[in-house]
Amino acid sequence: MSDQQRQLSLNAFIYPAGHHESAWRHPLTTPERLYDVSYFQEIARTAEAAKLDAIFFADGPALRSDVEHGAAGALEPITLLTAIATATERIGLIATASTTYFEPYNLARLFASLDHISRGRAGWNIVTTGTDVAAANFGLSSHPDHADRYARAREFVDATVKLWDSWEDDAILIDKAAGIYADPSKIHEINYVGRHLRVRGPFNAPRSPQGHPVLVQAGASNEGRAFAGQYAEAIFTAHQRLSDGQAFYADVKQRAVQFGRNPEHVKILPGISPFLGDTEAEARDLEREFNELTSPEYGIAQLEALTGSSVRHLDLDAPVPAGLFGDAGDVTDNKQSRLQVIAGIVERENPTLRGLLHRLAGARGHRVVVGTPVQVADTIEEWFTQGAADGFNVMPPYYPGGLEVFAQKVVPILQERGLFRTEYSGTTLRDHFGLPRPESQYADAPGTVAL
Amino acid sequence: MSDQQRQLSLNAFIYPAGHHESAWRHPLTTPERLYDVSYFQEIARTAEAAKLDAIFFADGPALRSDVEHGAAGALEPITLLTAIATATERIGLIATASTTYFEPYNLARLFASLDHISRGRAGWNIVTTGTDVAAANFGLSSHPDHADRYARAREFVDATVKLWDSWEDDAILIDKAAGIYADPSKIHEINYVGRHLRVRGPFNAPRSPQGHPVLVQAGASNEGRAFAGQYAEAIFTAHQRLSDGQAFYADVKQRAVQFGRNPEHVKILPGISPFLGDTEAEARDLEREFNELTSPEYGIAQLEALTGSSVRHLDLDAPVPAGLFGDAGDVTDNKQSRLQVIAGIVERENPTLRGLLHRLAGARGHRVVVGTPVQVADTIEEWFTQGAADGFNVMPPYYPGGLEVFAQKVVPILQERGLFRTEYSGTTLRDHFGLPRPESQYADAPGTVAL
């Protein structure tokens, strides 16, 4: 980093028809292609042509509310990324998966296999999942509470990384003449015993090209930040204001240092949803077009799901009561972190319910930026140079056009300013993010395999 | 079927370097490519060029024994098949997955996604998994017993098919003008409540191209046969003798009829591992080459794992004691079905331990056929026309060459005899197997979604 300008990381966060909640209704989108793998392969190739670091998929093991008005249902992201891996060469591939509703051995296999198939481009966005509808799909009457979910998440990640490490890099010998396939002293049982999970191992595949997939995380609660400081190599976060982004950035980097980690190996990537126009007025008109396609009914269901508060009794055109979503200063559990963003909007902007719904329609609480390519590049540069971001999870309001215009208009400005690569310098997601390939924690440990 | 000759189904069962346990040591194989997706994509294209119905992968969530002498570790099969889907057009894609160690919602998503991505080529080989080493990877001190595993398997398949059916085929409307994405009356909670599993649903993806992936099954115990008769659309089975194959075939078809099913929609596919030569002597020499590369130590570990009996105290060159693996007539639980095959070999052939190890080295108890292409085609035709098989799971002793020679030498003979297609007539695995596309069980049911 010393003899070269610090570089932005940019991911394309792929969301069916786009991040704006009525994207599927706009003439610019093709929702009839949402279950067609070629649609996503084309988007990934656009992102790769622009030299982005990665594509990113959200996920949850349940159908989200209101299928009548929202583009619902999606391909499973790990298989989808596998199909995308075969249609691309360099771009990183990040999928979200839940530590609450998977078993470590199964999930470790899916991600390691994606890392092998993509030759080192896999990333796992670790979430604990926050909804009762998911719980009901897994035999639970209610969702485990926040602290239990994070306790399991820590055990899950510990066990999973041990599985990924359990074959040392040089375990496979393939000595045909001697009949020795692998060196059993380099393949280790992990014998993980936690309060929530027990996993013996060893893993049933060799160590993957990146050592292990990049660990990504997205929770901004206190628990989430502690978890991020300890484990995350990239963090996806939501902030509306530079000052909030700076405070979060400083806090998480500091936590990483406390865990003995190099803070440069923790990439902080706020979400940003750009509405772009050749003029600011044109951009505003485009945003208005999308907002006019929203359904208050859908927006209310989304807002209630996000906040856990009932709002359907409120007048759409009256100001939202102050404090309805709590105090913006509080961050106590996972849901609170997004709630804090919403409470902050209510506190600062005093919107009507309709106004708040429009504010959230863009990207569910992530920052929507409306302007010219130069204006969007300026705010990216500002956050990047002012200690609020190492890069961004770019959330185009509509796909594929919203990514194309970002790639064609904004990326070249960032490249001209020396802030973003013009060619990939490496082949793996770790290379793009500037992260080291971790050594196996079992390197030089005595073998323990005895099956 | 009436105005056209009955056609064979042929799958290529892909097994790392080949089904013979020392395949990886033979000069014909390239074990250094076993974690390289292009190796498997090339094999799949060979199978597709020969117009085979499907490729098939085994799986288990644990490292199998003896990594020192066996080609151990593998890519996860659902992701691997997804990568293969993008490199092929027509061939079916069957992966094994365990009902004991997965959750229905997660597994349903992976297979439905594979079916969407491949445009209707997915099959699920349903297994309950029979090993304690797997249990230890999922926090259990011992493996659930056979009856419990099958009870869970039934619930698992019931719940999974309901999830796949929960979006009716015409649920998605995409009416941009009216803002109606889907018809909620056509998306159903499944509210599955069993003794082992509870799943609310709905699923979070539309119904897949095949309605649902083809259900494949491989257990030949009494429980396994009952399960197959009720659920399986294709059955992978192991028999050494025509008479055993005929008895199994008649039994399972009859069970299907008892469940009110059309027996033509239950395809019975024994395993067959062909060693091919231009002369029978050449084929025998090739088999001998492979057998000479076996390690008795490895074979003993495999045999003990397969049978649960200790054999390492026996003299390699003395006959195996009669009855060591029980009575060949008994079929009581899952392990017994493979045990029965082995007990039958001991009973009929009175082999030395070394001889038995060689007998099993070829394909772990599946039938090894050694001969010319005409001889192999003859036995395939015999079993197919004499009521023992609807086709075969072909298990080449070595990859990729063992499949290539089968494709180049045996398939054309079967085609000349009118027993096997020369072109695909459809695009889905159901088309290849001659299976109907099932209607959703919720078609015409009142909508129940209320999230």
Side-chain angles (χ1 to χ4, degrees):
Chain A
M1 283 292 145
S2 51
D3 55 348
Q4 192 200 329
Q5 192 176 345
R6 179 169 160 259
Q7 295 284 297
L8 274 166
S9 291
L10 294 174
N11 299 337
F13 180 175
I14 303 180
Y15 208 71
H19 285 275
H20 194 285
E21 72 183 32
S22 36
W24 72 271
R25 295 189 62 188
H26 196 279
L28 284 169
T29 65
T30 53
E32 62 282 4
R33 297 189 66 200
L34 295 186
Y35 316 107
D36 174 356
V37 66
S38 66
Y39 170 75
F40 296 100
Q41 289 172 326
E42 288 163 23
I43 289 171
R45 283 194 286 252
T46 297
E48 184 170 77
K51 316 301 176 193
L52 299 201
D53 294 68
I55 56 174
F56 178 103
F57 282 98
D59 191 56
L63 183 64
R64 58 202 167 90
S65 57
D66 199 352
V67 292
E68 189 167 2
H69 300 106
L75 298 177
E76 186 285 328
I78 303 175
T79 45
L80 180 54
L81 283 178
T82 304
I84 291 171
T86 66
T88 53
E89 299 276 330
R90 296 292 191 93
I91 196 157
L93 309 162
I94 304 172
T96 299
S98 171
T99 55
T100 304
Y101 296 114
F102 247 105
E103 287 284 340
Y105 208 90
N106 291 333
L107 194 65
R109 294 183 69 199
L110 292 167
F111 275 107
S113 199
L114 176 61
D115 205 43
H116 280 288
I117 289 169
S118 66
R119 300 181 204 285
R121 297 187 279 142
W124 170 27
N125 180 39
I126 304 159
V127 299
T128 68
T129 306
T131 62
D132 281 347
V133 289
N137 290 333
F138 293 83
L140 303 178
S141 52
S142 70
H143 197 60
D145 75 21
H146 190 74
D148 268 357
R149 295 205 313 273
Y150 266 94
R152 180 181 162 102
R154 288 170 180 281
E155 293 190 7
F156 196 114
V157 175
D158 285 340
T160 300
V161 173
K162 282 177 191 292
L163 286 171
W164 286 331
D165 280 352
S166 67
W167 291 49
E168 295 180 45
D169 287 312
D170 55 353
I172 295 179
L173 302 173
I174 310 189
D175 183 339
K176 288 194 174 201
I180 307 295
Y181 185 78
D183 179 349
S185 77
K186 299 198 169 186
I187 297 175
H188 305 267
E189 287 187 4
I190 70 166
N191 293 311
Y192 185 81
V193 179
R195 275 183 50 236
H196 297 263
L197 295 165
R198 299 167 65 99
V199 185
R200 185 164 74 184
F203 201 42
N204 63 354
R207 202 147 186 265
S208 75
Q210 292 189 106
H212 63 72
V214 174
L215 301 179
V216 183
Q217 190 263 3
S221 63
N222 266 326
E223 286 268 22
R225 292 173 186 220
F227 184 91
Q230 185 172 358
Y231 295 99
E233 299 176 291
I235 295 162
F236 175 38
T237 182
H239 304 291
Q240 292 286 332
R241 294 186 304 178
L242 178 65
S243 58
D244 293 333
Q246 288 167 324
F248 179 84
Y249 186 98
D251 179 53
V252 172
K253 295 273 181 173
Q254 181 52 36
R255 288 177 193 254
V257 170
Q258 281 164 1
F259 280 104
R261 301 178 61 203
N262 179 341
E264 285 188 8
H265 298 159
V266 182
K267 301 292 169 187
I268 296 183
L269 311 173
I272 185 170
S273 184
F275 270 105
L276 288 157
D278 288 337
T279 63
E280 193 179 323
E282 205 178 294
R284 297 229 166 267
D285 285 345
L286 187 64
E287 186 196 26
R288 192 172 309 114
E289 269 180 36
F290 277 77
N291 280 344
E292 282 168 2
L293 292 172
T294 57
S295 142
E297 190 182 334
Y298 181 82
I300 285 169
Q302 295 286 105
L303 179 58
E304 291 185 344
L306 214 54
T307 62
S309 302
S310 173
V311 297
R312 58 188 66 235
H313 59 286
L314 300 177
D315 181 344
L316 269 171
D317 295 304
V320 174
L324 177 66
F325 305 115
D327 175 354
D330 255 8
V331 182
T332 56
D333 78 9
N334 196 36
K335 193 170 270 175
Q336 297 288 122
S337 62
R338 190 65 60 84
L339 209 55
Q340 188 190 27
V341 170
I342 297 171
I345 292 171
V346 171
E347 202 170 291
R348 289 191 303 276
E349 304 176 14
N350 190 31
T352 62
L353 178 57
R354 191 189 304 278
L356 179 63
L357 295 179
H358 283 175
R359 221 36 194 79
L360 298 175
R364 307 173 303 287
H366 285 280
R367 190 163 68 115
V368 177
V369 178
V370 186
T372 65
V374 167
Q375 287 174 318
V376 170
D378 284 348
T379 188
I380 286 176
E381 181 169 2
E382 181 187 27
W383 283 50
F384 180 59
T385 57
Q386 300 301 309
D390 295 311
F392 291 86
N393 230 6
V394 180
M395 304 168 66
Y398 57 99
Y399 268 107
L403 179 64
E404 286 162 6
V405 67
F406 182 85
Q408 287 158 14
K409 302 277 178 76
V410 180
V411 167
I413 297 171
L414 299 171
Q415 289 170 329
E416 279 160 29
R417 294 182 187 177
L419 299 172
F420 191 63
R421 71 175 68 83
T422 53
E423 276 304 332
Y424 291 109
S425 60
T427 61
T428 70
L429 178 55
R430 289 188 177 280
D431 291 338
H432 307 336
F433 278 165
L435 299 170
R437 183 180 189 279
E439 202 177 10
S440 165
Q441 61 196 284
Y442 296 100
D444 307 318
T448 57
V449 70
L451 296 176
Chain B
M1 283 290 146
S2 50
D3 56 346
Q4 191 199 332
Q5 192 176 344
R6 179 169 160 256
Q7 295 284 295
L8 275 165
S9 291
L10 294 175
N11 299 338
F13 179 174
I14 303 180
Y15 208 71
H19 285 275
H20 194 286
E21 72 183 31
S22 35
W24 74 269
R25 296 189 61 189
H26 196 279
L28 284 169
T29 64
T30 53
E32 63 281 4
R33 297 190 65 201
L34 296 186
Y35 316 108
D36 174 355
V37 67
S38 66
Y39 171 77
F40 296 100
Q41 289 173 325
E42 288 163 23
I43 289 171
R45 282 194 285 252
T46 297
E48 184 169 75
K51 316 299 176 194
L52 298 200
D53 295 67
I55 55 173
F56 178 103
F57 283 97
D59 191 56
L63 184 64
R64 58 200 167 91
S65 57
D66 199 349
V67 292
E68 187 166 4
H69 300 105
L75 298 177
E76 186 285 328
I78 303 175
T79 45
L80 180 52
L81 284 178
T82 304
I84 291 171
T86 64
T88 54
E89 298 276 329
R90 295 291 192 95
I91 196 157
L93 309 162
I94 304 173
T96 299
S98 171
T99 55
T100 304
Y101 296 115
F102 247 105
E103 288 284 341
Y105 208 90
N106 292 334
L107 195 64
R109 295 183 69 199
L110 292 167
F111 275 108
S113 199
L114 176 59
D115 204 43
H116 279 287
I117 288 169
S118 66
R119 302 181 203 284
R121 297 187 281 143
W124 170 28
N125 181 37
I126 304 159
V127 299
T128 68
T129 306
T131 62
D132 282 347
V133 288
N137 290 331
F138 294 83
L140 304 178
S141 52
S142 70
H143 197 60
D145 76 21
H146 190 72
D148 268 357
R149 295 205 312 274
Y150 267 93
R152 180 181 162 101
R154 288 171 180 282
E155 294 189 5
F156 196 114
V157 175
D158 285 339
T160 300
V161 174
K162 282 177 190 293
L163 286 171
W164 286 331
D165 280 351
S166 67
W167 291 50
E168 295 182 44
D169 287 313
D170 55 353
I172 295 179
L173 301 174
I174 310 189
D175 183 340
K176 287 194 175 202
I180 307 296
Y181 185 77
D183 178 350
S185 77
K186 299 198 169 186
I187 299 174
H188 305 266
E189 287 188 4
I190 71 166
N191 292 312
Y192 185 83
V193 179
R195 274 183 50 238
H196 297 263
L197 294 165
R198 298 167 67 98
V199 184
R200 185 164 74 183
F203 201 43
N204 61 356
R207 202 147 186 265
S208 75
Q210 293 190 105
H212 62 73
V214 174
L215 301 179
V216 184
Q217 189 265 1
S221 64
N222 267 324
E223 285 268 22
R225 290 172 188 220
F227 184 91
Q230 184 173 359
Y231 295 99
E233 300 176 290
I235 296 163
F236 175 40
T237 181
H239 305 291
Q240 291 287 331
R241 294 184 306 177
L242 178 65
S243 58
D244 293 334
Q246 289 167 325
F248 179 85
Y249 186 98
D251 179 53
V252 173
K253 295 276 181 171
Q254 181 53 36
R255 289 178 193 253
V257 169
Q258 282 165 1
F259 279 105
R261 301 178 61 203
N262 179 341
E264 286 187 8
H265 298 160
V266 183
K267 301 293 169 186
I268 297 183
L269 311 173
I272 184 170
S273 184
F275 270 106
L276 288 157
D278 287 337
T279 63
E280 192 179 324
E282 207 179 291
R284 296 226 167 272
D285 286 347
L286 187 64
E287 186 195 27
R288 192 172 309 114
E289 270 180 35
F290 277 78
N291 280 343
E292 282 168 0
L293 293 172
T294 57
S295 143
E297 189 183 335
Y298 181 82
I300 286 169
Q302 294 286 103
L303 180 58
E304 290 185 344
L306 215 53
T307 62
S309 302
S310 173
V311 298
R312 57 188 66 234
H313 59 285
L314 299 176
D315 182 343
L316 267 172
D317 295 304
V320 174
L324 177 65
F325 305 115
D327 175 354
D330 259 8
V331 183
T332 55
D333 79 9
N334 195 37
K335 194 170 267 175
Q336 297 287 122
S337 63
R338 191 64 61 84
L339 208 56
Q340 187 189 29
V341 170
I342 298 171
I345 293 171
V346 171
E347 202 170 293
R348 289 189 303 276
E349 304 175 13
N350 191 30
T352 62
L353 178 58
R354 191 189 305 276
L356 179 62
L357 295 179
H358 283 175
R359 222 35 196 78
L360 300 175
R364 306 173 305 286
H366 285 279
R367 190 162 68 117
V368 177
V369 177
V370 186
T372 64
V374 167
Q375 288 174 319
V376 170
D378 285 347
T379 189
I380 285 176
E381 180 169 1
E382 183 188 25
W383 284 50
F384 180 59
T385 57
Q386 299 301 309
D390 296 310
F392 290 86
N393 229 7
V394 180
M395 305 169 65
Y398 57 100
Y399 269 105
L403 178 64
E404 286 162 6
V405 68
F406 181 85
Q408 288 158 13
K409 303 280 180 76
V410 179
V411 167
I413 298 171
L414 299 171
Q415 289 170 329
E416 281 160 28
R417 294 181 187 179
L419 300 172
F420 190 63
R421 71 175 68 84
T422 53
E423 277 304 333
Y424 290 109
S425 59
T427 60
T428 70
L429 178 54
R430 291 188 176 278
D431 292 336
H432 307 335
F433 278 165
L435 299 170
R437 183 179 189 278
E439 202 177 9
S440 165
Q441 61 196 283
Y442 296 100
D444 306 319
T448 58
V449 70
L451 294 175

